[in-house]
Amino acid sequence: MSEHHPPVSPLLDRCPEALPASSYFDPDWYAREERAIWRRNWVHVGRLDDIPAGTMRRVQVGGQNLILCRDRDGQVTAFHNTCRHRGAELCSAAEKPLGKLITCPYHNWAYDLSGRLVSTAFATPTPDFRKEEHGLFPVHTRDWNGFLFVCLDDAPPELRPDMGLKALDNWPMDRLKTGHRLVKELDCNWKIFWENYNECLHCPGIHPELCDMVPIYKRGVMAANEASGWVPDAPKQPVLKDGAQTWTMTGAPCGPEFAGLTAEERANGFNFVTIYPTMFVVAHVDYVRSVTVTPLGPERTRLTAEWLFAGETLAQPGFDAGNVAEFATLVLDQDGAACEMNQRGLRSEKYQGGRLMPQEFDILKFHDWVRAQMESA
Ligand code: FES
Ligand code: FE
């Protein structure tokens, strides 16, 4: 038997200062974040399954232009989208077929799929030029539960989901297929989105439907141990409202429940895994959802939400993934509007930065993470 630790209250015993207002709009701060955060951490670039074999895809990460190459055997490599001759862009299309070579459209230098320069076409270099020193600039890639990540750092950090690498082990992640995708651009800094994600003080005012689904949210907290009057031995209450098993409009599962989940994972109704700065995953009993955060500028952020289903769920007669997505889309729209409202207000020249409340302990952790990243760069 493992030792029993009663849960403790995570509430802060003070009201710390939030990040400075300028960190949400200053172009210099943003440029530093690109270097210190977005080019040093693992960044999610899509489901591996959604890149067909034999495809080259252009992606932007941390302000850098990259290509993802998936060869005929399904292997993935990534490179800077830059030719070593005079620096032309190798792939200008969002996506195009990938053959055996990556050929620069400018003067036709050709590289193999490991990035090695194999031909300088019409150019005939002198012996002082060494082909082996002019391969493409490689970028690290990694697959985690079918999600493809890249890291621009030469020495990538460990991939660290907040609940550990095994967090989704009981879900059949590698078999899940993307059934629905929502892309949404917001007029706010990317950190505003993560702050909103990390607290539920806004839930009673912003999310009536979600508060109905998750009764504890009506009290402005994420879990019972944050609520006033909580005692460590209080009996556990069901997380979702009576009769609901998942986040759909009715609370009913959209297909067969995943077989391998523990009783606790099932009872939770939703299981969040956060991977800063790039994505979070919410695993339900019947489907999984991911939300990917992509900064487009100091005050512009793209969200890509994807709903993943087992084949047997997608194959049900009359199955409508858009219908399943309706509930979380509603919540995401509400959060998006709140984020934009936050961004507009903090632009006041009077506002220098706010204070975090005791319930905003997860925002403090996020801020501490951002500060540590910026300082260590
Ligand atoms: Fe690519 Fe010249 S810049 S071949
Ligand atoms: Fe919210």
Side-chain angles (χ1 to χ4, degrees), residues 59-80:
V59 291
Q60 286 287 117
V61 172
Q64 297 286 291
N65 186 2
L66 310 179
I67 47 173
L68 300 177
C69 301
R70 187 157 203 213
D71 69 17
R72 303 257 158 90
D73 301 325
Q75 292 305 312
V76 175
T77 46
F79 304 98
H80 284 260

Side-chain angles (χ1 to χ4, degrees), residues 44 181-184 290-294 302-307 332:
H44 178 229
R181 178 178 295 121
L182 171 76
V183 180
K184 204 175 154 60
S290 68
V291 176
T292 302
V293 179
T294 309
R302 182 170 63 225
L303 301 180
T304 308
E306 297 181 299
W307 281 256
L332 200 62

Side-chain angles (χ1 to χ4, degrees), residues 83-88 90 104-109 111:
C83 179
R84 293 297 304 274
H85 174 213
R86 280 178 26 234
L90 296 163
C104 177
Y106 202 1
H107 316 96
N108 296 92
W109 283 26
Y111 305 85

Side-chain angles (χ1 to χ4, degrees), residues 331-344:
V331 175
L332 200 62
D333 285 344
Q334 292 164 340
D335 282 323
C339 289
E340 292 183 325
M341 166 179 79
N342 194 166
Q343 185 77 28
R344 289 192 301 273

